Amino acid sequence: VVDELHMTLLNATPKAKRVNPQAYALYLRARSISNDNNADEDDRARIGPLLERALEIDPDYGDALARYSLYLWGVLRGEGVPLEEIGARLRQMQLRALASDPNNANALSWLSFITLTIDNDIDTAARYKKRSHEADPTSYEVLWTSMSTLGLYGRPDLAVRIGEYLIERDPLCFWCYYTLAELHMEMGDYASARAVAREGLALDSQWLDGKLQLGISFLLAGDPEDALEIMSELGHDPGYIMVLHDLGRQEEFDALLPGFIERFEEENPLVLAQIFAWIGDKDEAFRLLGRHSREDTWQIRDHLTRPWYRKLHDDPRWLALLEQYEMTDEKLASLDFDQLRLPPGVER
């Protein structure tokens, strides 16, 4: 039944759809709050009701559906709802939208996300992603999601092009700046990562995530002195003690490490995995990588793309992890995103 559903949804013919102006205005207000780095809790509490109202007016409005799906993903995860239950709820939302409009690009995009991270089916997820771009390659939310996820399919280069396109049209999208910086670091282009982080910081000098990306870019580039100047403001971040390690300040590193272990051993062992990978403790890094939540493949897939783990790449256990999540170079190349439909003006 699932295979038949995939075939039906993946073979529909794209067509354009008009958006209700009132629903569009509500969606824009919700998106503006989402992208506002200084929005307070009261502001953010309005996001859900704004999007719910937009979907009441226009139940098939794809961008509102996608932003509401993202909102629910964050809220439900924060409430500790099991990931399988979250996935089932979000999947049902997308299927309802697709029953009305099989070309709902945003529902297809979210099915791609669910299929990859919860079903652990990268082939079908890739097909949904391509189908979403065929249905509407200009949708803000489709492009936003692809910017955030194409790196998991081995195409950070395409994600960068899309991110640059989005920033041109939405210069206050701080998540775009953050993601672009991360993608540049994934590709080893630390100068571009710093440039993007500084663009965001020029808009908001107190943007902590921008400072974090700036500091990490120096660390990855082999410049722990400049990294320390920035990361010292962010002592709670694992990057800070990694800087101390690279500076040879071993006593300070040893003093802080137990606190990080106590904080993350159960809550998020992948945070510790990247620390131990960076300092070259392969056995402990792989032990912690093996303790990640098996139902949450988003996190482990994201970590497998990060440059923190480059000291593990020559270990056979690393290849075994890539094979487990179908993220070897050969597998990712076979997904063939070379013909992914992009908006006019986006250079490959």
Side-chain angles (χ1 to χ4, degrees):
V1 174
V2 172
D3 288 343
E4 290 178 2
L5 174 64
H6 288 327
M7 289 298 294
T8 300
L9 296 176
L10 289 166
N11 290 317
T13 302
K15 60 182 178 180
K17 182 181 182 299
R18 294 181 63 86
V19 176
N20 179 286
Q22 187 180 356
Y24 179 62
L26 290 163
Y27 158 73
L28 283 182
R29 286 167 61 191
R31 194 180 88 187
S32 177
I33 296 171
S34 298
N35 287 339
D36 184 354
N37 208 43
N38 296 309
D40 59 27
E41 289 187 13
D42 289 340
D43 288 331
R44 295 196 177 279
R46 296 167 53 214
I47 294 173
L50 284 169
L51 293 169
E52 288 165 0
R53 178 59 182 144
L55 289 169
E56 285 176 8
I57 295 169
D58 186 351
D60 298 331
Y61 181 18
D63 278 350
L65 173 69
R67 184 60 53 160
Y68 188 60
S69 297
L70 178 66
Y71 166 79
L72 276 184
W73 173 269
V75 168
L76 296 176
R77 294 205 67 179
E79 293 175 353
V81 177
L83 197 61
E84 185 176 345
E85 183 179 332
I86 298 173
R89 180 169 173 179
L90 291 177
R91 192 194 309 270
Q92 194 58 40
M93 286 173 55
Q94 316 314 315
L95 293 178
R96 280 199 301 267
L98 289 163
S100 173
D101 175 13
N103 299 294
N104 189 314
N106 290 280
L108 290 164
S109 179
W110 262 86
L111 278 183
S112 172
F113 180 81
I114 294 166
T115 304
L116 178 67
T117 61
I118 297 177
D119 299 345
N120 205 25
D121 181 353
I122 196 169
D123 290 294
T124 303
R127 293 169 63 201
Y128 273 127
K129 180 160 291 295
K130 295 174 192 176
R131 180 71 186 84
S132 70
H133 278 252
E134 285 297 321
D136 187 355
T138 63
S139 163
Y140 179 94
E141 298 292 345
V142 166
L143 294 172
W144 189 96
T145 302
S146 288
M147 173 195 68
S148 304
T149 60
L150 273 171
L152 306 183
Y153 296 91
R155 295 306 303 265
D157 56 319
L158 287 180
V160 165
R161 300 285 83 79
I162 291 171
E164 291 169 345
Y165 174 90
L166 289 176
I167 285 175
E168 286 179 2
R169 286 151 183 80
D170 186 3
L172 294 179
C173 177
F174 283 91
W175 175 253
C176 297
Y177 293 109
Y178 179 89
T179 304
L180 269 184
E182 191 162 87
L183 289 163
H184 280 304
M185 287 188 280
E186 180 182 332
M187 295 189 294
D189 186 353
Y190 306 121
S192 293
R194 286 194 290 274
V196 170
R198 284 171 173 147
E199 283 182 47
L201 286 165
L203 297 171
D204 180 359
S205 62
Q206 300 306 308
W207 180 38
L208 292 181
D209 283 340
K211 293 180 180 181
L212 173 63
Q213 295 293 58
L214 191 59
I216 288 173
S217 70
F218 280 116
L219 176 61
L220 291 171
D223 189 354
E225 292 84 2
D226 283 338
L228 180 65
E229 185 177 344
I230 299 163
M231 300 297 287
S232 58
E233 298 181 42
L234 309 168
H236 65 285
D237 188 85
Y240 176 63
I241 65 169
M242 293 153 78
V243 170
L244 293 178
H245 174 270
D246 281 17
L247 287 171
R249 292 164 59 169
Q250 194 64 38
E251 289 186 8
E252 293 171 81
F253 175 87
D254 291 341
L256 290 173
L257 182 59
F260 281 91
I261 293 174
E262 182 179 357
R263 177 181 174 189
F264 292 110
E265 176 80 32
E266 299 299 328
E267 175 187 323
N268 191 350
L270 292 180
V271 172
L272 295 177
Q274 70 184 28
I275 294 175
F276 284 101
W278 184 256
I279 67 174
D281 188 337
K282 294 183 178 183
D283 290 341
E284 186 64 5
F286 280 112
R287 183 187 75 82
L288 290 159
L289 283 166
R291 290 196 60 241
H292 75 277
S293 171
R294 296 294 175 181
E295 67 174 7
D296 187 355
T297 72
W298 161 263
Q299 269 204 322
I300 186 65
R301 288 176 182 279
D302 181 45
H303 272 255
L304 292 177
T305 68
R306 293 185 180 183
W308 303 118
Y309 296 97
R310 58 195 182 196
K311 293 179 181 177
L312 305 185
H313 290 183
D314 62 353
D315 191 297
R317 290 172 290 183
W318 182 256
L319 179 59
L321 270 177
L322 296 181
E323 290 174 341
Q324 180 181 350
Y325 292 99
E326 298 187 284
M327 292 181 69
T328 63
D329 290 343
E330 295 78 12
K331 178 60 183 180
L332 295 176
S334 75
L335 300 175
D336 190 13
F337 278 96
D338 287 344
Q339 302 305 314
L340 184 70
R341 190 179 179 194
L342 299 173
V346 175
E347 298 181 3
R348 291 188 178 275

